[in-house]
Amino acid sequence: MPATSQTTTASVRRLPNLFDLAAMLLLAAGLIAVGNVARHTLGPLAATEGTTIHLEPSYLPGYALRTTLRMFAALALSLLFTFTYATWAAKSRRARLILIPILDILQSLPIFGFLTFTVTFFLGLFPGQVLGAELAVVFVIFTSQAWNMTFSMYQSLTTVPGDLDEAARGFQLSTWQRFWRLDVPFAMPGLLWNMMMSMSGGWFALVASEAVSVGGTNFTLPGIGSYIRTALMVRNIHAVFYAIAAMFLVILAYDQLLFRPLVAWSSKFRFETTQQDQGRDPWVLALLRRTRLLRMGADAVGVFFFAVTGLRVGRRRPASIVATRRGSRLVDVIWASLLGALVVVAIWRIYSFCRGSHLGPGDVVIAVTMGFYTLLRVIALMVVATVVWVPIGVLVGLRPKLAKSVGASAQFLAAFPANLLFPIFAVYIIRFHLNVDIWLTPLIILGAQWYVLFNVIAGANAFPGDLREAARNFQVGGVLWWRRVILPGIFPYFVTGAITASGGAWNAAVLAEIVTWGPTTLRAHGLGAYIQDATTQGDSGRVLLGMVVMATYVLTFNRLVWRPLYAYSSKRLTL
């Protein structure tokens, strides 16, 4: 072909096409929507105190847009937190000693416990502005999203296959290069499924965070969360169903536009040597691949990204392990001493506060006993969730086409606010005179069980195809296949899901152990009911005592059960 023809063909390939027009329209619509919502954040906060949430369905699109942008802002913050916190915990043995227990405590604390502090703090940063209230809501949503993403990233970083680690050392990658070229790609499949779970979990926080009353400050931010709360207050069942339908459409939209393309894109990071059939590309990904202008822009971004994180061979840094071992032991002793001192100081401060609140040994015994009841519920529900969702998660995760089709449905079920089902359980218990301690128990696991399902799907989806092929060639099937092939392969992911699910169950117990419907209040024995009663009575001493007992139970259970399983999966079940 003549040079002139080649030049002409290349020029034509750079011209925009119809796919560019469609992509540009989608991009422009997104930017206009973001700008329109951002404009309201600069208004006065006083205007939100008298905000009326209209329950007509025509208002739901605007409410849904504002809610979605808050959730994605929280997701971006959660992703930044995950990259920094999880990497620090995985790479530093000393930091891990304090960061992982803190994460265990944070994921078990009730989301609503963050409201008072965050609202006061952010409103103080931007006094009299809606921006402060918006940031407070975003932070509360962040607390419902970040922990499971961080655990997923941490699990991936601690189970990187040895040959990949050796390859990174062979290329002499710097810490920054290794993070972007090995750690993030290896963690991406599991992290994406946990991002989906985080988006679904954020809906639960919205109901409490978009309409807040703290001290003398009241504000109501338009959104689906405040819409649901208003509908529940006035008992408008039709409005509740409208909100549920809007939630489903929003979840379907961001599943199609974001998560489904990302899951398909992340399949290239799977650790395997055989090519697996991933099915057809999602329509958004196919659209982006057929555009010309956007692909040129993406290529330019890729060139810049590669310039920052690309494979560059540097000088090997000689490490003298023998020379630094003695100093390392000394630093370990100093670090352990500092941690011990901090623990002693914290225990003394808590003891002094409880003593000043006139709490005695009898109150501690009651709180510990109530915690034991909740612990039994959490253990029983974790066993049920494991038996039910592990086989289903494996079935879905090993079939990429099936995973794509059930993705939006699973996200919707996980996003469904569990408190909408509380009245149904209350009516059922009252009607048939059932045992409250038993039949309020399922409410604890309604939201937490999905952490197990999503992480098992992620583990099965990331399971190497060459190992599946080897098992098929050796005719390994039945119980032996479960024991020797798939369960060891997904076990690290399951442990991650179980840790976050158990923490979420402790969190949910604060709301689920006391259910009110009309004039009737149902109360189960447990630490959640203990904390909720103390909060209602304004007894800060008992609230603190309940939170400390809950944190102690969570840390002890994690240390005795989940952490040994985590260490076992990292050492024995890593590819």
Side-chain angles (χ1 to χ4, degrees), residues 137-213:
V137 173
V138 168
F139 186 82
V140 173
I141 301 172
F142 160 82
T143 61
S144 67
Q145 293 181 342
W147 319 138
N148 65 299
M149 292 172 56
T150 304
F151 271 119
S152 175
M153 184 78 175
Y154 173 76
Q155 172 258 318
S156 297
L157 295 181
T158 55
T159 56
V160 174
D163 48 355
L164 293 183
D165 182 73
E166 184 178 351
R169 295 177 182 274
F171 280 109
Q172 301 183 14
L173 300 184
S174 66
T175 303
W176 178 255
Q177 292 168 346
R178 176 194 168 95
F179 178 75
W180 289 110
R181 305 295 292 181
L182 174 59
D183 295 339
V184 172
F186 183 76
M188 189 56 64
L191 183 59
L192 275 176
W193 281 94
N194 276 277
M195 287 171 62
M196 291 188 227
M197 181 63 219
S198 293
M199 284 293 289
S200 298
W203 289 96
F204 183 75
L206 283 170
V207 179
S209 61
E210 288 185 342
V212 175
S213 176

Side-chain angles (χ1 to χ4, degrees), residues 386-464:
T386 299
V387 173
V388 172
W389 293 116
V390 167
I392 296 177
V394 170
L395 174 67
V396 174
L398 292 180
R399 294 163 176 80
K401 295 181 181 179
L402 182 59
K404 292 177 183 178
S405 62
V406 304
S409 301
Q411 290 180 69
F412 173 72
L413 292 174
F416 190 88
N419 50 352
L420 294 182
L421 298 177
F422 288 5
I424 299 176
F425 273 78
V427 172
Y428 188 80
I429 292 172
I430 295 171
R431 173 68 177 79
F432 295 98
H433 306 285
L434 301 176
N435 188 309
V436 177
D437 286 322
I438 296 176
W439 290 98
L440 283 184
T441 300
L443 297 177
I444 297 177
I445 203 64
L446 283 177
Q449 61 183 340
W450 306 110
Y451 292 104
V452 176
L453 174 63
F454 275 73
N455 278 277
V456 171
I457 291 177
N461 189 256
F463 191 79

